[in-house]
Amino acid sequence: MQQKHHSIFNIAVIVAALGYFVDIYDLLLVTIVKKASMMDVGATAETLLVDSAKVLNWQMYGMLVGGILWGVLGDKKGRLSVLFGSIILYSVANFATGYVQTVDQYAWCRLIAGLGLAGELGAGITLVSELMPKEKRGVGTSLVAGIGLFGAVGAYFTHKITGDWRLCYKIGGGLGIMLLFLRIKVAESGMFASAKSATVSRGNFLMFFNNAKRFKKYVLAVLIGLPTWYVIGIVVNQSDKFAEHLYGSKTVDSGRAIMFAYAGIALGDISIGLISQYFKSRKKALLLFYTMTVLSLAAYFSPINNSDATLYTISFALGFSTGFWAIFVTMGAEQFGTNIRATAATTIPNVIRGSLPGITFLFITLFQKDWGWNIVKSGIVTGIICILVTLIAFYFTEETFHKDLNYLEE
């Protein structure tokens, strides 16, 4: 089947971007309303760090499992089936979150929401990548992520305006249901239609493990995105705790820091698509953003970071420098054939999100509880480990900018 190419601004890009906006709104709301919601369901000042980490980690566990389920479904039943099914699940879970009364109930609702949230980005990126020519797909997927990531800004201001964390979750659920009507107009990928008529295996997650070359590509595709959730899940999410130890402040709002970070991520994701287009290279653009990430982290943990205003500014810089979410997910999609592409593009970002509990284990359990380090030293060493692993993976990752996507994996 001849693949029809679309312009950058088409219904698939717009709907995928709006879908990701709602996805990020819901995904980050748990951190933006962290203190108010956790205290309301029984956490105390002493248990806030551990309880909030538990709720966020359970959401990430859900995304890890959901990434596999939705990825397989996307390759077996189509990209659109995932876009419809995932949003119904996380919309219902968000409504339910608005009624939780205990930390455990909160965690269970976020686990179910995570299952639903896992399908949104991978299916959207896969669909847009397959609908656009290779000369434009990096810009198209960056627009999806860049626009979508402003969902964190929307979540922050929704909470500020309403002042009710429960209402914020219900609004997120309502936004998701509204999106279902927009998606009716989106066409399925022609590449998927061709693959559907072929005799090859589709949506077989085990294909990433039964071939050494594919397995290596898959692992590298995951590891090159590792700094994103270290920065958001640790450095920015716990910015109120870091501020106390770095310069004695007790007035930092971690939700506000997340809002600034995601504003930066959104702009970074749009920028890296254009930079990648300019360099005609995914890897050169990615290396530039890695460099900015290291410099921003150095500023965060240095004496320069000595006021709330400076911390928010550095949070924005950290966000911008880790605004390579769309590019590494696109690179993941570009490295695999049409019959397992949705599985790759959906599982890769969710495996990275699912790595947060492991990063949190290093940061809290091993370094702070077991070894007795303070939060700053723990944060720095955890960051160094994540960055080193990522740079090694980056070195062995192949360039994908000019790769033709219309092929099948045997």
Side-chain angles (χ1 to χ4, degrees):
M1 177 182 289
Q2 181 66 33
Q3 179 67 38
K4 181 181 178 181
H5 294 317
H6 293 252
S7 66
I8 292 174
F9 295 101
N10 65 78
I11 187 64
V13 172
I14 293 169
V15 171
L18 291 175
Y20 193 41
F21 179 96
V22 178
D23 180 289
I24 290 297
Y25 174 103
D26 295 330
L27 175 64
L28 270 296
L29 193 57
V30 68
T31 55
I32 289 171
V33 302
K34 178 182 70 175
K35 190 169 185 179
S37 61
M38 295 307 304
M39 293 299 191
D40 203 23
V41 297
T44 65
E46 290 72 27
T47 65
L48 180 61
L49 178 63
V50 173
D51 285 342
S52 63
K54 174 184 176 178
V55 172
L56 182 59
N57 283 345
W58 277 43
Q59 180 171 275
M60 295 308 168
Y61 291 139
M63 299 196 80
L64 180 60
V65 175
I68 298 172
L69 295 177
W70 292 118
V72 170
L73 184 63
D75 280 322
K76 287 185 177 294
K77 301 296 183 181
R79 292 35 171 149
L80 292 182
S81 63
V82 173
L83 292 177
F84 279 97
S86 65
I87 203 164
I88 292 173
L89 182 59
Y90 72 69
S91 295
V92 171
N94 278 319
F95 278 118
T97 305
Y99 296 96
V100 298
Q101 299 298 324
T102 68
V103 172
D104 285 345
Q105 290 176 3
Y106 201 170
W108 276 107
C109 280
R110 297 326 295 165
L111 176 72
I112 297 169
L115 286 169
L117 291 167
E120 188 71 32
L121 178 63
I125 291 291
T126 302
L127 184 61
V128 171
S129 295
E130 292 179 343
L131 287 173
M132 302 186 74
K134 59 186 177 183
E135 295 80 12
K136 294 181 180 179
R137 66 182 177 232
V139 178
T141 55
S142 288
L143 282 174
V144 170
I147 295 170
L149 286 162
F150 276 109
V153 181
Y156 174 79
F157 282 108
T158 300
H159 182 233
K160 284 298 177 184
I161 292 168
T162 65
D164 184 345
W165 67 270
R166 295 181 186 276
L167 179 59
C168 290
Y169 277 113
K170 295 171 188 177
I171 290 172
L175 289 172
I177 298 302
M178 289 171 61
L179 268 175
L180 291 175
F181 296 100
L182 284 177
R183 292 204 168 130
I184 294 172
K185 297 183 178 180
V186 180
E188 183 59 90
S189 161
M191 288 186 193
F192 171 75
S194 297
K196 192 174 181 180
S197 62
T199 57
V200 296
S201 175
R202 302 195 320 274
N204 183 356
F205 184 63
L206 296 179
M207 287 183 70
F208 296 114
F209 305 94
N210 63 12
N211 178 283
K213 184 177 179 181
R214 266 199 303 265
F215 178 70
K216 177 183 175 182
K217 288 196 297 183
Y218 186 80
V219 171
L220 294 178
V222 169
L223 295 179
I224 61 172
L226 207 57
T228 54
W229 271 96
Y230 160 71
V231 167
I232 290 299
I234 302 295
V235 178
V236 181
N237 184 38
Q238 303 297 343
S239 56
D240 51 344
K241 300 295 184 183
F242 279 116
E244 284 188 45
H245 287 76
L246 287 168
Y247 57 92
S249 173
K250 294 186 177 182
T251 56
V252 165
D253 178 1
S254 60
R256 190 177 184 190
I258 288 168
M259 183 274 291
F260 277 110
Y262 265 82
I265 292 173
L267 294 175
D269 257 307
I270 294 172
S271 300
I272 198 171
L274 299 173
I275 292 169
S276 173
Q277 193 75 16
Y278 175 79
F279 285 142
K280 305 296 182 187
S281 168
R282 306 277 188 247
K283 292 192 69 174
K284 287 180 181 178
L286 201 52
L287 183 59
L288 175 62
F289 275 64
Y290 284 157
T291 302
M292 290 190 291
T293 299
V294 171
L295 294 175
S296 298
L297 285 169
Y300 187 93
F301 290 111
S302 77
I304 295 173
N305 189 6
N306 57 12
S307 70
D308 291 0
T310 303
L311 184 141
Y312 292 137
T313 301
I314 296 175
S315 294
F316 177 85
L318 279 168
F320 185 88
S321 62
T322 51
F324 48 79
W325 194 249
I327 285 296
F328 82 74
V329 176
T330 301
M331 289 174 70
E334 289 172 335
Q335 292 187 71
F336 300 98
T338 307
N339 52 316
I340 57 171
R341 184 168 298 128
T343 306
T346 305
T347 56
I348 286 168
N350 289 303
V351 170
I352 294 168
R353 288 162 170 163
S355 72
L356 181 59
I359 297 173
T360 303
F361 172 80
L362 288 178
F363 173 63
I364 295 178
T365 306
L366 182 62
F367 294 153
Q368 294 181 60
K369 289 185 176 179
D370 294 347
W371 292 7
W373 291 2
N374 65 41
I375 189 172
V376 175
K377 183 178 180 180
S378 300
I380 291 172
V381 175
T382 303
I384 289 172
I385 293 170
C386 289
I387 295 294
L388 285 177
V389 170
T390 294
L391 290 177
I392 293 170
F394 169 81
Y395 178 80
F396 290 103
T397 298
E398 68 178 74
E399 178 61 69
T400 61
F401 183 85
H402 296 287
K403 196 164 185 179
D404 184 5
L405 302 189
N406 200 7
Y407 70 99
L408 301 174
E409 298 273 356
E410 298 293 341

